[in-house]
Every structure is written in C-alpha cells, then in structure tokens.
Amino acid sequence: MAALIMDRRQFLKAGAATAITGGLAGKATAATGNHDHDISRYAPLSPEPEFIVGPDNKLANNPDQRFAFTKCFGCYNVCGVRIRIDNKTGKILRVCGNPYALSTQSGSPIAMEVSPQDAMQKLIGEKGNEHRATLCGRGNAVPDAITDPRRVTQCLKRVGKRGENRWQSISYEQLVKEVVEGGNLFGEGHVEGLAQIHDDKTVANPEYPDFGPKKNQLLMTGCSEDPARWGFYTRFSEASWGTPNIGNKDSYCGHQQVAGCALGVEDGANSGALPTTDFEHCEFAIFIGTNPGLSGISLNSASKRLADARTQNPNFRYVVVDPILRSLTTSSMPDNCEWVPIRSGGDTALMHAMMQHIINNERYNKAYLASCSQEGAYKAGEINYTNAPYLVVTDKKHPLYRKFLTAEACGKGDADTQMVIDAASQQLTTSDSTKPCNIKFSGTIKTEDGQSVKVETAFSLLAKRVNEYSMAEYANECQIPVDKIKELANEFSSHGRRVSIETNTGCNASDGGQFGFAMIMLATLVGAHNAKGGMLHTGSMGFENTSPLYDMMAFEHAHVSGFNVERSGDYRQSNEYKEKVSKGVNPFPSDHPWNETFVQDNAGELLVAHANGNPFQFKAWIAWANNPLYACSGLKDQVEESIKDPKQLGLIIASDPYINETNIYADYFVPDLAQYEQWGASRQWGSELMGDVVSFPIITPRTPLNAEGNRVCMEQFLIDVAKHLNLRGFGENAFKDAKGNAKAIHTPEDYYIPVLANLAHSDEVLPTPTKDDIKFTSVDRIFPLLTERLNAEEIGPTMFLFTRGGRYYPVDNRYEGEFFNEMMRWDAQFQVYNEGLAHITNFHSGEYLDGLPVCDKQRFWDGTAIRELWNEKDYPFYFSTFKPQLRSPYSVTLKGITALGESNFIQMNKSDAKQYGLTSGDKARLTSPKGTFIEGIVQADNTVSKGCIAVPLGYGHTAFGASDITIDGNTLPGLSERKGGMAVNAFNAVDPTRQGASLYRDVTFGSTARHGIPVAIEKC
C-alpha cells in the first residue's frame, strides 16, 4: 500500500499535470518517479483526460473529446466557461471556468493574446492557483438541464383546456401556419391569428385611443438577462411588429434598487447603477440585503475575492445586515465579520440614521463635498464631485421652486449653470468655480436685480431630512439598537474612502428605490465612489454595441404608437387626464397607477392590465424564457383566470426548453435551444472589467429541424412569422453592411454571426487566431457558417473571439493613485439633490416626488400605510424572502441541485416560535393579508431577526416536470423531487387600494415589492 500513497504536494507538482494531460490508452495515468499508477483507482468516476502533452510539450486534444469556450446560463451572472464533450455520445463531460474571463477568474485573468494551449498549461499544478478559473455548483449542475427527461424537444399544440398539460405533437410548419392564420383551432370558436392582430389602423380600444392600435394587443415577454437573444427578441417586438407591450422579469426582481442607486449617481430617474466592493483594498464593507456572492454578482468571483480579502487583507472587516443569516458569517474570524439582524423593510431607516450620525458629528468628507465643478475637484485632488453645494430654491412662489438656482436667474450667466456660495468670501458665485464652497448655507440671497430668493444647499437640505426623526425612532423602525447604529456609522466614517456598501435584491420593500438612493448617499458622504478600496459602479459592462461592419438596424422600423398598458409615461399626456381636466374634474388620482420614472417593462404589471381589461385585453401572447406566474410576487391569483380563458386571451405561444408555471397555459409550444446550443453574447455580472462572453453551438441542439433543414428555436420561429407577415427587418433586405449592401436574415446564424463580427471589430480589431487555436477550441466546427456570411478579412478576428470565449478589456493597473483608472470609473456628478426626480409627479396625490431620499412608512399606492390596514395584532410578523446559495427558480431541473434538498422551510427566530408553540420540525401555516397561505416545516433558531419570518425562493413547483405531462396520449408522471417545498411568490400580498387585480409596488419606480409585508403564523 505504501507504494500507492502519494504526497499531496508531489501529486500537484507531477501527478496533476498528467492527470489532466496524461496518456489516452483508455485509462488515465499519473507518472510518479519511475512508476505509472492508474488514476482511475483514486477517481473511478472521472472521465478520460481532455488533453495530452505532446513531444513538443504542447497540449493536444483527446481525439475522443472536444473542448470549447462558451457561456454559462445557470443563473443571470452569465459567466465565461470552458466545456468538454464526448465526441461519440455528445455528452457533456465537464464544465469549468474560463481563465480569460474575470467573472470566473477573479485573481489574474489570462491575457487574450495568450494562446488557448498556453492558457490551459497555466492551469496545471501549482501554477493553477494563480490562474484557476472556477465555476459554482449551479454552473457545474447545468448540463443536467440539457438532457432533462422533461425537456420539450418537439412542437406541441394543446389538447383539452389550457393548463391541463395535455399536448399533441405537430409539425413546425403546421404550428407557424395556425398561429399566423388563426381559425377555429381548438373547436372553441374562432381565434384571431397574428396576421389579423397585426393591424396598424384600427384602435385597440376606442375608449382608450392613447394606448394605440390593435397590433399593440400582442404581448411579448422574455428574458432580458440574455442580452444578445433579448436584442433579437426586441428587434421583432418593437422594430418589426411595433408593440410597446414587451415585458421581462427585472421589475419584479430587484430593479427598484438598481434604479434607486442611480438616483444618487445621475440626475433624473431613468438610469441604473449597482455598486460592488473593491475587496482588495477595502477596510470596512456593509452588505445589506445580500451576502457576498450568494445573490447575483458572480458567486465565482465575489466569493473568491471575499475569501482572499478575509485572509490576505488584515485591515478588512465587514458586516452583513439582513433579516436572516444566509451564510456562516460569524463562524470564523469573528472579529472581522458580523451579522446585524434587521427588520424586513427597515433598511431605509438604517441608512437615514447612519447619515444623521455622520452629518451631526461632521464625520463626512468635507473637502470632497465642497467641490462644485470637475475642475475644482481636480484641484482638490478629487476625481469626481457632487452637487452638495448647489443652491436649491425653497421659495414656493419662485419659478425655480424645487430647482437649482441658476446663473441666468441671478443675472450671472446661463440657465445651465448653477449657483453656489464661495466658502472663503461667502459670496454668491457660479458652479464653474474651482474654489471650495459652503455646503451648509441656508438663507436668502439677492440677485443682480435686487430680488430676494430663499435658498438652501443640497447638503443643508439633506441634513434637515435625516434629522426629521430621532435616532430612537429610526432604531425602532429598523429594530437595530441605537448604539449599534452609531457603531456602524462611526466605523463607516473611520476609514477614509476605503469603505463600501453593497446590496442586491434583498431590500425590496415598497421603499426599495428610496433605500437605494439613501445607500448611495451614505457612500457619497465619505467619498467612497470610484475610490481604491471603495465602490465600483461600472462592473458588468459589455462593449458598446457598435456597427463597424454591419448596421443590424438599418431597415425601416415599424411605427410604435400608444402608451404601454403598464402605464409607463407622462399621465398628463393621457386621454384620461385631458378628459378630466376638460370636465373640470381633479385629474388626481389617476384611475390606475402611472409611472414616469422608468419604463419598467414589468411582465407582471402587463398581465395585471390584461386581467383588468384596462385599457384592453391582449389578443395574443408570445412567452419566451420567463415565468412571471411563478416568480412575480402576488401575481398568480390576480391574473390566472384571465389567462386560462381563451375568450379573454385568444392565443398563447410559448418558446422555451421547459414547461413552466406560466407557459403551461400555452396553446402552442415552440421548443427552444438550451445553453451550449445557442449563439450569444453577454455582459458578465460580477466582472469588474468591461467584457463580453460569447457562445456558439458546441453541441447539436435537441430541437427538431423544420422542412427547410433549419433548427427550430425562438429565433427561427420569429423569423418565419415575420416573413409570413412581410415584417421588415427579417427575410431579404433585413440589414446592411458598412458599404450599404443589403443583407438577409433567414436563420439565426444570419443575425448572430454579423453581430458577433461587429463585437470582434469594435474598438481595436482583434487579431486572427492560429490554425491550432481554431482546432484546439472547436471553432473549426463553425468555420463554414462564418465563411458563408462574412467577408474573408472579417473571419479571422471573429474566430479569435470564439477561441477565447469572448472579448475582455485588458487592464494592467486598476488604479490611478487612490482612485480606479479611467476605464473602470463612472465619472459622474454624484447627486445629493436629484433635481430631475424632484419634478416627476406622483400620479395618485398629484404632488411632485422628492429630490432627496425619503424615509417613510411602508405604503400602498394611495399613500395608506400598510399597518393601517394590516395591524400588528392580526399580522404580527414581517415577511422576507431570499435566494439560497445554489437554488433558483430554474434550478429545479438540475439533479445536482435538487439533490441538496427538496424542500424549503419557514424560518423564524426560536423565541418568536416559542410564543406560538412552535419548534423546529413542526408544521405551520403562514397567512398573508390577501387571504392566501402556505404551509411548511418550521426551522426555528437564532439566525432570523426577531419579528421576521423568512422563506427561501425556488421551491414549490407545479411545472418543470413536477406534474404529469401527456403528449400524444402518453403520460410522463410528475417527478416528486421537483414538487417539494413552498412557492412563496404566489402567496405574497398585493395592493388593496388599487382597482381590480393589482401588485404591491415600489412607491418611486413602480417595481413589484415583496419584503416587509405583514404575515400571520399558526401551528397546523
């Protein structure tokens, strides 16, 4: 036995290299001294090695396998991966991280000029510690989804009633013909086909003409997290068909925090920003509503960087502020990390309390806040500046009330220049000054013409705002003791710029947008933006979508007219507003919520409008790659009946690899491609550097071929529908090359190959790869497709893109002094007072929104506090949901993930549980104020904040194979492991102050809210 025992370090040095690259005589071997040993003894389930080392010490592919770079879509981080496949069976043998991509290589990504063979060499033995590219458990489990036994791989037409999950297989050509032409398709009466619905002349509803023509009665919902495919999808919906009614999941996931953070970064309310932490030099970080790497922002990179910071950065300390302890935050290094429990929905109160302490004790960065111009910032050694010194008009009679005082109004310049008070002279001056300003001024100034105007600096207004409540009141609202709040504020303001605060989807109460604004403001007070050891705002950015070779949108676009039915737009331009005014009726409140801050594209709100029949019901719905009835909080019982009834919604077409809780109601099912079968390009959520991962079909798709020999998928379906309807942007003359020559789109490749060629030629043109690179990375498989669609000189750089799995911006040095370099910074004027937001209307009250962060009670759309309707006696707990580390709504198809646990739990503090006679293992019923309930097993311990109940997402499925599926009379029984646990979103509350079907919304952005909702519990 002794001869078979190998020192681990020796194995890493000598054996691991040949375990990866050893001989291929049917068994993997490792050379140890003068002896060869059969590695299969130690790893009997491991596949053969993917490479061998040739005589020239270079890697060569295993002839029985192929290897390629592609993207992972196991979640919405979209990491870069490498994949190897058995050539004989097409089976995916292994997936790993792409060492070129920062999303999976958080330490030292390999430069693109390094060949793939050399890159793989850098992963061998101890050298691999520096360049190791990892992939999380979900990414490793994703291959299960490709071969899932319940995956849809044929065209289907429903049999029986919607939702019964009974289907018959039909040809692709029959499917396209029937959905385009319509008819008595199910023996239920005439169904209007897409050809009839695409009517640009007839008003959809004469009572609401401002919502556009009949063609707007096509609803399209899809996945915006897959940017290249989403771009194709919206090409059809907006540019070719011309409907404004397209929805995705962002606004019922976490969009209000992304948009809320942007309020502190850019003027106005129509942008997005979500900061990340510079772990390498940070000294104190707050993670609120998230755990690093456990909810978005690549588990692969964030977790590794956090681990490195904990072990290699002796100055680093962090706290996790959350209703539930999601990971073992305090299990090791307790002096460096801490869990701070908070009441669900109390996040905004904590931010205001910390700002109050920092401002009142003058712990803010005075020099940073005193600059009023970019030149002044540079002079003070700063990179960016804020509008903290700008004077806001507080005189209600002045035409600039709630706006910044301008140089024009003071006779000192134009309307685009603001006014400040010089710190040294205390005189009024313009905002192009390079001198420090007075940030605390509050009083009356006189203009050149002698007019007196009451003004106050943005900072002074903020100081008043955060002092509207006492520290004790804030503490009561967030359920964090005053001393702990002061401790957090003191530490956050004790490390200069080397502090960070980060969030992600965990603060989705009805004031989630205001929380995001306040969170960014907290960082602004200490100048942490764009700073070394501080906060980065430009992560997850892809290359700019340019057209150096092909102008993909060079065709006559369809005219899009009318508001979308979720009412994103200016209510004052609506017929409802104008008619009320003409009748002398107060136009406020509007009949239904409007939103002027951001076009949400909220699939849930679009379906709510349909259920209410206001402004109209949809005639057709194309549902691709999303699942709102499962994932949108509170939605299902509000809209389900209007979807199930063909008289209310005539035609539903789904395109997806799987039958989910939403598309189970489809009339027709177009099987779609799974990952590794797709063309695509995407930003990487979690990558600090600008870059895109790309993919090409590395495995043969499992969807059928149509009569023309093209692979059936979402794209092919939309192409063929467009051609049947003579829509522009598809078929002949679909786009143009740089010389103005017309190009056609008849297949997905006709679209994606030019798009990816543009990416390869954007900025600096990529080089041409070697023949060895092309063969080594399996790009030779698509060479014929490229030669058919690209000019000869365009092929090489495009292939180079695929041989590296994407395009990644090289950065030799992340920093310029104490700030991020120019490429990584978000150069902006950070907003203390957001003037654009201050002139957007709340369409219930008719009042303007506030230009400062607001701390208020959780409220419904009409302004009623939720506790006024749902009191603490009847509903004593505050509800919270969270994303588990690996489980997601879509991972139910992954055996490697469901094997970790088939059920979720009702998680609560054990002292709360004791009051209700509950202990861990008991069954309990959780009831929401709308009368719905869920039942599950209690997990009672000290990892949940008192007064809160938390239930993880991703369980309680009724589709994805959890229920019986009948196709052509053959029934596939439901899989028990997919049914376990509770579906949380369907149970959650909605807004009773709205008319008809409703969702509970963020007060600023209209996004769906799901946290801080009162609930009751009882023992079953």
Side-chain angles (χ1 to χ4, degrees):
M1 290 294 292
L4 294 177
I5 297 175
M6 186 185 302
D7 176 76
R8 180 176 181 275
R9 185 165 295 277
Q10 284 299 113
F11 177 79
L12 287 173
K13 283 184 175 181
T18 43
I20 297 174
T21 65
L24 299 172
K27 293 183 179 179
T29 61
T32 58
N34 296 323
H35 304 280
D36 286 344
H37 295 295
D38 186 355
I39 295 299
S40 63
R41 295 189 183 188
Y42 309 105
L45 299 180
S46 295
E48 289 183 0
E50 54 191 312
F51 307 120
I52 59 173
V53 177
D56 56 359
N57 206 34
K58 287 190 174 182
L59 299 184
N61 295 87
N62 181 333
D64 295 327
Q65 300 177 19
R66 65 182 179 273
F67 150 79
F69 292 116
T70 183
K71 69 175 184 179
C72 179
F73 206 54
C75 71
Y76 296 138
N77 292 323
V78 196
C79 293
V81 300
R82 65 187 195 272
I83 178 175
R84 60 172 165 139
I85 299 158
D86 186 288
N87 284 328
K88 294 179 182 178
T89 65
K91 180 182 178 181
I92 299 167
L93 300 174
R94 190 185 181 200
V95 289
C96 303
N98 180 345
Y100 293 107
L102 187 66
S103 58
T104 50
Q105 213 301 333
S106 58
S108 180
I110 294 173
M112 289 185 70
E113 56 264 27
V114 176
S115 73
Q117 295 93 329
D118 290 342
M120 293 301 104
Q121 288 273 23
K122 291 178 180 291
L123 303 180
I124 294 173
E126 290 189 331
K127 292 184 297 182
N129 288 330
E130 180 183 359
H131 298 289
R132 178 167 291 119
T134 58
L135 198 62
C136 75
R138 193 183 299 163
N140 275 278
V142 159
D144 291 340
I146 312 299
T147 56
D148 181 68
R150 299 298 185 268
R151 180 181 167 184
V152 178
T153 56
Q154 54 193 316
C155 296
L156 301 176
K157 179 180 180 179
R158 73 170 165 93
V159 175
K161 296 180 180 179
R162 283 181 181 164
E164 291 182 344
N165 220 2
R166 295 192 294 128
W167 312 87
Q168 63 178 347
S169 57
I170 61 173
S171 71
Y172 172 77
E173 287 68 30
Q174 179 186 342
L175 186 154
V176 173
K177 183 177 187 296
E178 292 187 4
V179 302
V180 168
E181 297 180 1
N184 188 8
L185 304 174
F186 301 94
E188 300 167 344
H190 181 76
V191 175
E192 287 189 82
L194 295 176
Q196 290 178 274
I197 297 169
H198 191 258
D199 179 347
D200 206 15
K201 306 297 183 184
T202 307
V203 174
N205 184 351
E207 294 184 9
Y208 294 92
D210 47 333
F211 286 86
K214 182 178 178 179
K215 70 175 183 179
N216 289 4
Q217 290 179 278
L218 171 65
L219 168 65
M220 296 186 69
T221 59
C223 180
S224 59
E225 303 285 0
D226 194 351
R229 302 193 80 199
W230 176 250
F232 182 96
Y233 198 67
T234 57
R235 177 190 186 89
F236 177 91
S237 62
E238 297 175 358
S240 292
W241 180 285
T243 177
N245 294 310
I246 180 164
N248 58 52
K249 67 94 185 171
D250 292 357
S251 286
Y252 58 74
C253 179
H255 187 267
Q256 66 263 55
Q257 287 158 115
V258 177
C261 287
L263 292 177
V265 177
E266 292 190 341
D267 181 43
N270 59 354
S271 186
L274 197 65
T276 56
T277 300
D278 184 28
F279 284 99
E280 285 72 14
H281 298 279
C282 188
E283 295 180 2
F284 181 65
I286 297 174
F287 301 98
I288 182 165
T290 186
N291 255 223
L294 297 193
S295 176
I297 310 182
S298 184
L299 175 64
N300 303 298
S301 62
S303 297
K304 182 179 185 301
R305 294 178 65 208
L306 172 63
D308 288 345
R310 287 175 55 154
T311 56
Q312 300 172 23
N313 182 352
N315 299 319
F316 181 60
R317 170 169 144 63
Y318 69 97
V319 297
V320 174
V321 182
D322 205 56
I324 185 167
L325 176 61
R326 304 197 217 184
S327 63
L328 300 179
T329 307
T330 58
S331 63
S332 62
M333 303 178 68
D335 294 336
N336 291 3
C337 54
E338 179 185 7
W339 172 51
V340 178
I342 189 172
R343 179 181 69 76
S344 180
D347 314 287
T348 307
L350 174 62
M351 296 297 97
H352 280 245
M354 290 179 66
M355 285 193 289
Q356 180 191 98
H357 183 78
I358 289 171
I359 290 174
N360 290 354
N361 292 278
E362 296 194 344
R363 299 179 64 87
Y364 47 85
N365 189 327
K366 299 178 182 66
Y368 170 62
L369 296 174
S371 296
C372 65
S373 68
Q374 189 64 64
E375 292 73 16
Y378 290 149
K379 186 177 179 180
E382 301 287 343
I383 290 294
N384 303 121
Y385 67 109
T386 76
N387 61 17
Y390 285 18
L391 298 174
V392 181
V393 176
T394 57
D395 185 346
K396 293 183 178 180
K397 297 180 180 179
H398 196 278
L400 290 178
Y401 174 56
R402 300 171 59 85
K403 293 185 178 182
F404 292 124
L405 182 66
T406 66
E408 180 184 55
C410 296
K412 291 180 176 290
D414 58 38
D416 295 325
T417 303
Q418 289 76 34
M419 301 303 296
V420 295
I421 301 293
D422 181 78
S425 67
Q426 293 300 304
Q427 296 300 306
L428 190 67
T429 188
T430 55
S431 60
D432 53 9
S433 170
T434 62
K435 298 179 180 180
C437 302
N438 181 348
I439 63 173
K440 295 182 178 181
F441 183 85
S442 176
T444 301
I445 60 94
K446 284 193 175 182
T447 63
E448 289 290 315
D449 59 4
Q451 182 183 6
S452 296
V453 183
K454 291 182 179 179
V455 294
E456 196 158 352
T457 66
F459 179 84
S460 178
L461 289 172
L462 176 65
K464 286 184 177 180
R465 171 56 47 81
V466 299
N467 280 287
E468 288 178 348
Y469 298 99
S470 69
M471 186 68 74
E473 288 174 310
Y474 285 130
N476 182 65
E477 186 68 18
C478 65
Q479 290 295 293
I480 297 176
V482 169
D483 288 345
K484 174 56 70 174
I485 295 174
K486 291 181 178 179
E487 178 188 318
L488 291 173
N490 283 335
E491 181 144 20
F492 193 78
S493 54
S494 295
H495 300 273
R497 304 178 189 279
R498 298 193 175 199
V499 295
S500 174
I501 182 165
E502 185 175 316
T503 190
N504 186 29
T505 78
C507 303
N508 288 21
S510 63
D511 64 346
Q514 291 298 321
F515 156 73
F517 193 5
M519 187 191 90
I520 294 298
M521 194 76 72
L522 182 66
T524 298
L525 290 178
V526 297
H529 305 299
N530 293 321
K532 184 177 183 179
M535 294 161 63
L536 178 76
H537 290 273
T538 57
S540 310
M541 291 183 67
F543 278 77
E544 185 179 356
N545 184 19
T546 60
S547 305
L549 303 178
Y550 300 95
D551 187 348
M552 304 304 298
M553 302 305 287
F555 63 93
E556 185 181 351
H557 293 194
H559 179 58
V560 180
S561 61
F563 293 108
N564 63 30
V565 303
E566 65 172 330
R567 291 175 161 83
S568 285
D570 186 354
Y571 168 57
R572 292 181 179 83
Q573 302 302 314
S574 71
N575 276 38
E576 177 190 337
Y577 179 90
K578 294 173 182 177
E579 287 180 0
K580 286 180 177 178
V581 170
S582 68
K583 295 176 181 177
V585 176
N586 185 351
F588 301 102
S590 54
D591 293 343
H592 293 271
W594 284 72
N595 177 62
E596 197 179 346
T597 51
F598 207 106
V599 177
Q600 296 293 303
D601 293 334
N602 187 332
E605 283 289 352
L606 293 167
L607 291 169
V608 162
H610 167 77
N612 289 327
N614 190 312
F616 51 68
Q617 290 194 312
F618 292 110
K619 292 181 175 292
W621 176 16
I622 300 176
W624 165 66
N626 73 336
N627 190 9
L629 264 64
Y630 176 85
C632 181
S633 181
L635 178 67
K636 185 175 181 180
D637 61 358
Q638 303 292 290
V639 303
E640 188 174 28
E641 290 305 314
S642 71
I643 293 169
K644 290 170 64 176
D645 183 2
K647 300 298 183 185
Q648 298 188 59
L649 178 52
L651 182 63
I652 305 177
I653 308 155
S655 184
D656 203 284
Y658 319 101
I659 296 174
N660 63 37
E661 284 79 7
T662 298
N663 62 36
I664 195 172
Y665 296 111
D667 300 310
Y668 295 90
F669 210 103
V670 179
D672 194 25
L673 305 173
Q675 70 173 57
Y676 309 143
E677 300 172 349
Q678 305 168 353
W679 297 91
S682 175
R683 90 292 183 263
Q684 307 151 89
W685 196 8
S687 171
E688 288 185 293
L689 308 181
M690 183 168 68
D692 294 89
V693 292
V694 301
S695 61
F696 65 92
I698 185 58
I699 59 175
T700 302
R702 292 174 175 257
T703 61
L705 297 172
N706 65 13
E708 296 179 345
N710 299 322
R711 192 66 61 176
V712 172
C713 59
M714 174 271 287
E715 290 91 343
Q716 192 62 56
F717 170 70
L718 294 182
I719 290 169
D720 291 333
V721 167
K723 289 165 66 175
H724 275 75
L725 299 178
N726 294 316
L727 302 183
R728 292 181 288 270
F730 297 96
E732 298 297 326
N733 303 313
F735 63 98
K736 294 179 180 180
D737 66 15
K739 296 180 180 179
N741 299 313
K743 298 291 181 178
I745 295 179
H746 296 290
T747 67
E749 290 79 9
D750 294 338
Y751 174 81
Y752 288 114
I753 289 176
V755 166
L756 294 167
N758 277 343
L759 175 59
H761 290 77
S762 295
D763 197 28
E764 184 178 342
V765 178
L766 293 177
T768 296
T770 67
K771 291 182 179 180
D772 286 344
D773 290 349
I774 294 168
K775 183 172 178 57
F776 186 76
T777 56
S778 304
V779 178
D780 54 339
R781 288 170 56 89
I782 60 170
F783 180 72
L785 298 174
L786 302 181
T787 58
E788 292 172 6
R789 292 166 176 83
L790 301 178
N791 296 321
E793 68 276 11
E794 300 166 356
I795 296 172
T798 306
M799 287 196 295
F800 188 91
L801 191 73
F802 294 116
T803 63
R804 272 63 175 176
R807 179 163 195 167
Y808 315 102
Y809 203 100
V811 173
D812 297 326
N813 192 341
R814 293 160 51 124
Y815 310 105
E816 294 174 5
E818 289 301 306
F819 300 94
F820 283 110
N821 66 36
E822 185 177 7
M823 189 278 289
M824 298 177 70
R825 292 197 304 266
W826 188 324
D827 285 323
Q829 180 202 55
F830 288 86
Q831 306 290 297
V832 172
Y833 184 86
N834 192 305
E835 186 183 45
L837 179 67
H839 285 80
I840 292 175
T841 308
N842 176 308
F843 291 121
H844 186 276
S845 66
E847 300 291 330
Y848 284 119
L849 300 180
D850 202 300
L852 296 163
V854 174
C855 183
D856 192 14
K857 296 181 181 298
Q858 303 296 318
R859 296 187 183 276
F860 299 116
W861 175 62
D862 75 344
T864 303
I866 62 172
R867 277 303 187 187
E868 290 183 27
L869 296 186
W870 302 334
N871 62 63
E872 293 189 3
K873 179 181 178 181
D874 295 333
Y875 302 99
F877 293 96
Y878 289 87
F879 188 60
S880 178
T881 61
F882 65 97
K883 296 177 182 177
Q885 186 164 351
L886 295 177
R887 187 84 180 217
S888 76
Y890 286 88
S891 61
V892 68
T893 61
L894 310 181
K895 292 183 291 185
I897 303 301
T898 55
L900 299 176
E902 296 180 8
S903 180
N904 52 356
F905 301 94
I906 297 173
Q907 298 178 232
M908 61 189 303
N909 191 279
K910 65 180 182 181
S911 63
D912 289 335
K914 185 177 181 180
Q915 294 182 33
Y916 288 81
L918 294 166
T919 60
S920 290
D922 289 341
K923 188 174 183 180
R925 171 177 290 186
L926 207 59
T927 304
S928 84
K930 72 174 180 180
T932 52
F933 65 86
I934 52 177
E935 293 181 346
I937 303 301
V938 170
Q939 178 181 318
D941 52 34
N942 289 323
T943 66
V944 181
S945 178
K946 291 181 180 179
C948 292
I949 290 176
V951 181
L953 300 165
Y955 295 84
H957 282 282
T958 57
F960 284 106
S963 56
D964 293 353
I965 304 172
T966 300
I967 300 176
D968 296 335
N970 298 316
T971 299
L972 298 171
L975 302 173
S976 60
E977 64 269 22
R978 302 189 181 183
K979 303 176 183 178
M982 297 160 280
V984 175
N985 287 314
F987 136 91
N988 222 337
V990 296
D991 187 341
T993 71
R994 294 175 57 180
Q995 298 180 29
S998 71
L999 295 176
Y1000 181 50
R1001 294 161 56 101
D1002 178 87
V1003 296
T1004 306
F1005 293 103
S1007 307
T1008 306
R1010 64 176 183 268
H1011 290 161
I1013 294 172
V1015 294
I1017 195 169
E1018 59 184 324
K1019 190 173 185 178
C1020 290

